[in-house]
Amino acid sequence: MRLRLIVAGAALTASLVAALPGPWPRSRPEEAGMDAKGLEAARDFAMRVKGSGYVIRRGRLVYAWGDPKQRYDLKSTTKSIGVTALGLALLDAKIRLEDRAVDLHPQFGVPPESNADTGWLPRITVQHLATQTAGFDKKGDYQPLLFAPGTQWAYSDGGPNWLAECLTLAYRRDMEELLFERVFTPLGITHEDLAWRKNAYRPALIDGIARREFGSGVHANVDAMARIGLLYLREGRFGGKQILPASFVRMARSVTLGFEDVPVMRAEDYPNAARHYGLLWWNNNDGSLAGVPSDAFWSWGLYDSLIVVIPSLDLVVARAGEGWGEHAVFSRLEPFLRPIVESVRDRPRNPKPPYPPSPVIETIRWAPADTIVRRAAGSDNWPTTWGDDDAIYTAYGDGYGFEPLLKEKLGLGFAKLVGAPGSFEGINIRSASGENKGSGANGKKASGLLMVKGVLWMLVRNAGNAQLAWSSDHAKTWTWSDWKFTTSFGHPTFLNFGRNYAGARDGYVYVYSTDADTAYLPSSRMILARAPADRMRERAAWEFFERVDSAGQPQWSADIEKRGAVFENAPYLCYRTQVSYNAGLKRYILTQILPGEAPRFQGGFGVYDAPEPWGPWTTAFFTERWDVGPGESSNFPTKWMSEDGRTLYLVSSGEDHFSLRRADLQLR
């Protein structure tokens, strides 16, 4: 598979970059799987004005122009370089994102004194400072607060400068000195390659320590910029050492959850910025930059200094010099980046099924779109399980449940479905100990439900990363585990069998998830965990799928770091998934949507089947674009499967409803 090739290439690259403090290893474009004409087109666009550039693929220098040693004023690319110190602080447990800035900095936010009068300063966290949602006005000196933290997005130099001071006080060290010691020098970056200018807005010292500005101030050459980009491409790992936490890099490159829908100040200069901005890095998560993969992320400074990282293409691009225009309008970057992307000959183009056709299911015939039953408008998620009382239990997010709708919007709510698919009734269940009102990523959401021997189990995401809860009274009251999955398992879901777990293959409970720390990022693979059904509450009882051995038997490990892929769809095409056992066909059925900007309303998805929970998987149905939106999650409730396994009903959050569509399996 393509993923194995990528992993093998990454392993080879790691051996090359281990010696990177010297010159870059080089490849000709054709050796790196690239077309020189596309690189030349990007260079020609860039060189309409003065500047330099590097293109790095698979850890090797493929193309360059200009003087690689000339240092340029990088302006706001300083923000993306400076925030690297926050990654160190998270690794060293010096700071947490949820820490209040006033607890780290005695003079935080003042001057001006008017900021203290707002009452907002005690509410500003490190995360607000790193995401442009703290509320400080644009300039890097001591600016007034414009709004309450987290309520709007406003591009600012002042917020990052306050972040730099918080980090300086946490370490009691000069940030330039810290970054050279821990990051720059190991990457082979010297003081000749990168330097901070004297502060433009704030005094040189804070508590006798050199004070640095993150809003602007770094001067560097493209060689140094590319090395920093490579560190982020490798998720913070270099030369066999984890320099930055991988989780920090993932947050830096992703839309800031919970802030993606806040209003943007000066939106004409920064259109839709909240939807493509992470921890002081820009990203293409929403697909706004046409022709560039959605996993691309980059630094961006005045004069168009750029460190562009595209993980799915194993690509880093560094560019600095004179600017091409004004403001953060993505279209300005397209003539530069699109030819580079298109020059990659082996780039993934149209998504294709990741597995061969099913030997059992020839195709799936879906009922006409106008027959889809839609209930519970505005609510999403909808994992399901077949209860001991013959009801289907489900959970919803960010809505008002079934009719009659609740008067208050819940971030997590519960319901049960009674009756046949064509005439079911949705009944809301209230639970003071289970439901919450947190919207989006700010609230826990159910991603998996399972009933075993009358106990209803729930896997909850957005809990850093996932948490287990259980109910002995059919979702009315819940008990929460005192432990969490903190590595991976950003969107965990149970494998469902029959009524009350009848027909289970053995005494274990199985849990699938994308191999990511959040439900909001796609991955290239799915992982699998299991625990004895009577020991699910014990963290020590859980073990993780490693691989299938030569005899076809699954191998398991108690060490989560040894987890292996149970399902692969590269690059970054594994998203929210559910799995149900079709007893009539004796096949495991996995549904998975393709990640996209608005899957509730449009997009593609696949249905896959296998003889065992760990595979081998084959494709029963696949489409890049369904005739309706597949929803952000979907599943086949086992109760609504016919006895012969040929008729199923797909539950999804399509159109932001509880949506139900009949599926007839055509067998070979």
Side-chain angles (χ1 to χ4, degrees):
M1 285 190 63
R2 172 68 184 151
L3 176 63
R4 295 191 181 96
L5 295 176
I6 291 173
V7 171
L12 175 62
T13 299
S15 66
L16 292 170
V17 245
L20 190 58
W24 285 91
R26 292 175 176 260
S27 287
R28 295 191 303 273
E30 58 271 20
E31 293 173 334
M34 303 184 79
D35 183 351
K37 290 183 178 179
L39 299 174
E40 291 167 1
R43 176 207 60 196
D44 290 346
F45 174 82
M47 290 298 286
R48 295 179 307 147
V49 295
K50 296 178 181 178
S52 304
Y54 263 20
V55 177
I56 309 294
R57 184 140 203 253
R58 299 171 183 160
R60 291 177 171 268
L61 176 60
V62 176
Y63 201 78
W65 63 89
D67 182 355
K69 292 301 181 183
Q70 180 176 343
R71 288 199 317 222
Y72 296 93
D73 184 355
L74 302 187
K75 296 300 184 180
S76 284
T77 279
T78 302
K79 297 177 174 68
S80 305
I81 295 173
V83 82
T84 304
L86 175 58
L88 294 176
L90 295 172
L91 182 69
D92 296 340
K94 294 280 189 180
I95 276 180
R96 301 175 303 166
L97 290 176
E98 62 268 29
D99 284 346
R100 300 190 316 160
V102 293
D103 295 331
L104 302 167
H105 192 324
Q107 286 81 43
F108 175 75
V110 291
E113 295 299 329
S114 59
N115 284 342
D117 298 333
T118 64
W120 295 333
L121 288 177
R123 294 161 53 186
I124 297 174
T125 66
V126 171
Q127 186 176 40
H128 290 132
L129 295 173
T131 56
Q132 303 290 19
T133 58
F136 290 101
D137 207 350
K138 173 63 175 70
K139 290 182 65 176
D141 55 1
Y142 301 105
Q143 291 289 304
L145 287 168
L146 303 176
F147 50 80
T151 61
Q152 296 188 60
W153 188 99
Y155 196 74
S156 169
D157 291 345
N161 285 351
W162 283 115
L163 174 64
E165 295 189 11
C166 289
L167 289 164
T168 300
L169 294 174
Y171 274 100
R172 309 296 302 177
R173 293 188 65 183
D174 175 359
M175 287 294 99
E176 183 182 35
E177 177 188 279
L178 175 72
L179 286 169
F180 263 101
E181 177 186 304
R182 298 279 296 277
V183 179
F184 299 154
T185 300
L187 291 177
I189 299 171
T190 71
H191 288 278
E192 296 300 314
D193 300 313
L194 184 151
W196 241 289
R197 61 152 164 75
K198 292 182 178 180
N199 290 352
Y201 294 102
R202 302 193 175 200
L205 299 177
I206 178 171
D207 280 6
I209 309 163
R211 182 195 324 244
R212 299 294 169 182
E213 294 176 341
F214 281 2
S216 183
V218 164
H219 291 65
N221 57 40
V222 292
D223 188 282
M225 296 166 69
R227 291 169 190 261
I228 293 168
L230 185 66
L231 178 65
Y232 276 81
L233 176 70
R234 301 293 179 237
E235 292 197 334
R237 193 166 184 83
F238 174 79
K241 183 179 179 182
Q242 197 72 43
I243 294 178
L244 301 174
S247 58
F248 161 76
V249 176
R250 292 170 192 152
M251 286 186 289
R253 76 186 193 196
S254 307
V255 63
T256 305
L257 304 179
F259 301 144
E260 65 269 36
D261 292 323
V262 299
V264 174
M265 293 192 69
R266 297 185 291 273
E268 66 279 5
D269 294 344
Y270 308 99
N272 299 317
R275 287 191 168 270
H276 40 242
Y277 199 79
L279 299 182
L280 299 185
W281 285 77
W282 296 89
N283 62 63
N284 197 36
N285 287 184
D286 65 348
S288 290
L289 185 51
V292 175
S294 61
D295 65 331
F297 62 105
W298 58 91
S299 71
W300 198 357
L302 186 67
Y303 313 140
D304 294 310
S305 63
L306 298 164
I307 304 172
V308 183
V309 182
I310 308 179
S312 60
L313 301 183
D314 203 351
L315 190 67
V316 174
V317 180
R319 186 272 166 187
E322 296 180 2
W324 304 319
E326 296 181 357
H327 311 311
V329 178
F330 276 23
S331 59
R332 195 169 82 244
L333 301 183
E334 185 179 336
F336 174 63
L337 290 179
R338 190 163 186 165
I340 296 174
V341 170
E342 291 179 347
S343 76
V344 179
R345 294 171 178 169
D346 56 358
R347 75 186 187 279
R349 288 171 168 82
N350 297 329
K352 296 180 180 179
Y355 291 97
S358 168
V360 177
I361 303 169
E362 182 173 3
T363 189
I364 299 179
R365 292 183 179 174
W366 301 95
D370 60 7
T371 67
I372 297 174
V373 177
R374 300 199 192 276
R375 306 270 185 86
S379 301
D380 58 17
N381 287 351
W382 306 116
T384 65
T385 192
W386 191 356
D388 60 341
D389 57 357
D390 203 36
I392 294 176
Y393 285 85
T394 187
Y396 60 88
D398 297 341
Y400 301 88
F402 287 98
E403 300 78 5
L405 302 179
L406 303 183
K407 294 182 179 179
E408 54 186 346
K409 184 176 183 179
L410 296 181
L412 169 59
F414 305 95
K416 66 178 180 179
L417 312 173
V418 178
S423 59
F424 74 90
E425 179 186 7
I427 303 171
N428 297 321
I429 302 171
R430 301 306 304 269
S431 171
S433 54
E435 62 192 34
N436 68 65
K437 297 180 182 179
S439 63
N442 291 323
K444 294 180 178 179
K445 302 286 188 292
S447 54
L449 288 174
L450 183 70
M451 183 164 279
V452 182
K453 296 182 179 179
V455 177
L456 185 59
W457 298 85
M458 174 171 59
L459 286 165
V460 173
R461 58 180 172 88
N462 301 354
N465 298 352
Q467 191 172 10
L468 186 68
W470 55 91
S471 170
S472 300
D473 58 3
H474 299 83
K476 295 183 182 67
T477 57
W478 293 88
T479 301
W480 295 82
S481 64
D482 58 2
W483 56 271
K484 298 178 181 179
F485 289 116
T486 56
T487 299
S488 192
F489 288 91
H491 187 270
T493 180
F494 289 109
L495 166 59
N496 265 270
F497 285 91
R499 178 175 176 175
N500 202 25
Y501 212 52
R505 71 180 310 280
D506 51 34
Y508 285 90
V509 162
Y510 294 84
V511 172
Y512 297 84
S513 178
T514 47
D515 191 12
D517 292 334
T518 169
Y520 300 88
L521 275 182
S523 176
S524 293
R525 66 180 193 167
M526 304 292 300
I527 57 175
L528 177 64
R530 73 174 187 176
D534 58 355
R535 296 183 59 201
M536 294 168 62
R537 303 180 189 185
E538 305 171 34
R539 172 62 181 87
W542 289 88
E543 55 186 1
F544 306 92
F545 174 82
E546 281 193 63
R547 58 186 174 85
V548 174
D549 64 18
S550 58
Q553 297 303 307
Q555 302 299 301
W556 303 87
S557 173
D559 183 358
I560 194 170
E561 296 299 333
K562 294 182 179 180
R563 66 193 185 279
V566 73
F567 181 100
E568 300 174 333
N569 196 359
Y572 299 98
L573 292 176
C574 287
Y575 203 42
R576 303 177 185 182
T577 298
Q578 302 277 341
V579 186
S580 304
Y581 181 63
N582 185 325
L585 300 183
K586 296 182 172 57
R587 303 288 286 182
Y588 295 85
I589 309 295
L590 181 153
T591 64
Q592 184 177 92
I593 70 166
L594 292 176
E597 184 176 350
R600 287 172 292 176
F601 307 106
Q602 63 180 21
F605 85 114
V607 179
Y608 309 91
D609 66 325
E612 296 287 359
W614 40 85
W617 296 99
T618 53
T619 303
F621 177 83
F622 181 88
T623 178
E624 291 181 60
R625 183 176 288 268
W626 210 21
D627 56 348
V628 295
E632 291 182 332
S633 58
S634 60
N635 69 91
F636 288 112
T638 56
K639 179 184 176 181
W640 288 343
M641 293 181 178
S642 64
E643 188 173 350
D644 63 3
R646 297 187 179 200
T647 300
L648 289 65
Y649 287 83
L650 183 77
V651 169
S652 79
S653 60
E655 299 293 330
D656 220 11
H657 285 66
F658 177 92
S659 298
L660 187 67
R661 189 176 195 180
R662 176 172 169 146
D664 291 302
L665 309 188
Q666 308 299 304
L667 305 186
R668 296 191 184 278

